Amino acid sequence: MVNRIRIIFLSFSLSALIFSCSKNNDVTPGNVVPPVNVVLSYGDSVFYLRDQSADYIITPTQTGVGRYSGFPEGIEIDQKTGAINISKSETGLRYRVSFKPDDATDSVSTVILISGINFLDGFYKLTTDDSIAKPIYNGSKINAIPGANNGSVFDEGSNCNSAGCNVNVLSGTINLAQTVRNGVFGSSPSNNDRHEFEMNYRINDKSNKSLNTLKVKLYYFNSISDVTQEVYDIMADRQGTLLRNSSLSSSGVLNKPIGVNRKPRPPCIFILAK
């Protein structure tokens, strides 16, 4: 039985790749060698898309020789220089960026957020108010979307609505019940039927309404008992990759990686008819 279940595996109890340590005469296997005088920063913590002909790329304020990585999957980062291509990274997510110097076995890290919207992975029951999927902004459910009903535009080009996925162009909400009625899953929906939609949108924030894109995947099931193991595996794999409170420690730092890189996109909405 599902009572407004939201299994949230998001913006960030996070895991990252574990890299093998470089060996030299100063490093004894088994000893932890911390980075010395190394600070990882990009000069800010929140970055917005920009409308420009060239890709928007940010770089660390301090350079070093070693290896950079980002978590979760979706961030476009140069492992040698730490340069991040904002234009080609998934937006609406908070990332942990780490740097391990060649002469150390430990790493330093920082957290950045690339501004945008997302939807929560989980079960949405049509017989309750869960029939409306609401976007979240910048990885937090408490953030209001700037310009909603006042300048921000959703489903620009009508990729979703023209295919039956009912998106409110002013608020970005998806009416799942109406989407089913529109025949996205056919006149007699089948369990585990799925469809992916691409939503183009512009937020009236510091991005200056730069064009942003989010793919959303909808699944249909008659009831919770019809849900397949694949669904639970998808949600388990995404644990801790979206919401701020799920991914950050009390000090505001992303939780320690456990060696698994996870892909939080596209958001997966599992519709339950009853």
Side-chain angles (χ1 to χ4, degrees):
M1 183 64 64
V2 177
N3 293 319
R4 300 192 61 191
I5 297 178
R6 254 328 157 271
I7 303 181
I8 303 169
F9 302 104
L10 291 154
S11 239
F12 264 104
S13 143
L14 295 180
S15 302
L17 296 173
I18 293 180
F19 300 112
S20 59
C21 300
S22 301
K23 295 182 180 179
N24 56 47
N25 294 332
D26 298 323
V27 179
T28 301
N31 290 343
V32 176
V33 180
V36 179
N37 298 324
V38 177
V39 176
L40 181 58
S41 173
Y42 287 85
D44 204 343
S45 58
V46 183
F47 296 89
Y48 298 81
L49 288 182
R50 295 179 179 178
D51 274 332
Q52 54 188 36
S53 56
D55 286 346
Y56 175 29
I57 296 175
I58 61 174
T59 57
T61 57
Q62 175 183 311
T63 60
V65 179
R67 190 170 185 178
Y68 294 84
S69 63
F71 176 86
E73 187 175 328
I75 187 170
E76 188 75 17
I77 185 170
D78 188 306
Q79 292 186 349
K80 291 184 178 180
T81 67
I84 297 172
N85 191 324
I86 300 297
S87 304
K88 293 183 178 179
S89 297
E90 295 282 4
T91 58
L93 295 174
R94 187 173 284 101
Y95 297 96
R96 173 177 179 162
V97 181
S98 300
F99 172 63
K100 189 186 78 63
D102 282 346
D103 59 355
T105 61
D106 204 356
S107 62
V108 293
S109 63
T110 188
V111 176
I112 69 166
L113 183 142
I114 302 180
S115 181
I117 65 168
N118 209 339
F119 290 89
L120 298 184
D121 297 324
F123 298 119
Y124 292 72
K125 194 173 182 181
L126 296 186
T127 54
T128 69
D129 57 2
D130 279 353
S131 62
I132 303 295
K134 301 176 182 179
I136 62 172
Y137 177 69
N138 286 1
S140 175
K141 293 191 292 183
I142 66 173
N143 288 338
I145 299 177
N149 300 300
N150 184 27
S152 292
V153 178
F154 299 90
D155 197 28
E156 181 173 285
S158 195
N159 288 337
C160 297
N161 280 294
S162 63
C165 180
N166 188 270
V167 175
N168 186 309
V169 297
L170 298 179
S171 66
T173 59
I174 302 176
N175 188 321
L176 301 174
Q178 186 60 51
T179 295
V180 174
R181 289 193 292 267
N182 286 345
V184 166
F185 300 98
S187 57
S188 299
S190 300
N191 283 319
N192 208 16
D193 191 8
R194 61 193 72 181
H195 296 272
E196 186 171 283
F197 302 90
E198 184 171 87
M199 182 194 300
N200 295 320
Y201 66 94
R202 299 179 188 270
I203 300 292
N204 189 15
D205 58 9
K206 292 181 181 179
S207 69
N208 295 316
K209 298 184 182 181
S210 295
L211 182 63
N212 210 328
T213 301
L214 174 66
K215 290 183 179 180
V216 181
K217 198 165 188 177
L218 306 183
Y219 292 70
Y220 179 90
F221 292 95
N222 187 50
S223 68
I224 190 66
S225 62
D226 298 309
V227 174
T228 63
Q229 183 60 45
E230 177 196 16
V231 170
Y232 295 110
D233 290 342
I234 290 172
M235 293 192 293
D237 185 59
R238 294 171 173 224
Q239 184 175 4
T241 59
L242 180 64
L243 293 180
R244 180 182 182 92
N245 291 340
S246 298
S247 58
L248 298 183
S249 68
S250 59
S251 61
V253 178
L254 287 170
N255 290 324
K256 186 176 181 180
I258 57 175
V260 178
N261 206 22
R262 293 169 176 166
K263 184 177 181 180
R265 291 295 176 85
C268 292
I269 294 175
F270 304 103
I271 299 172
L272 300 178
K274 60 183 179 180

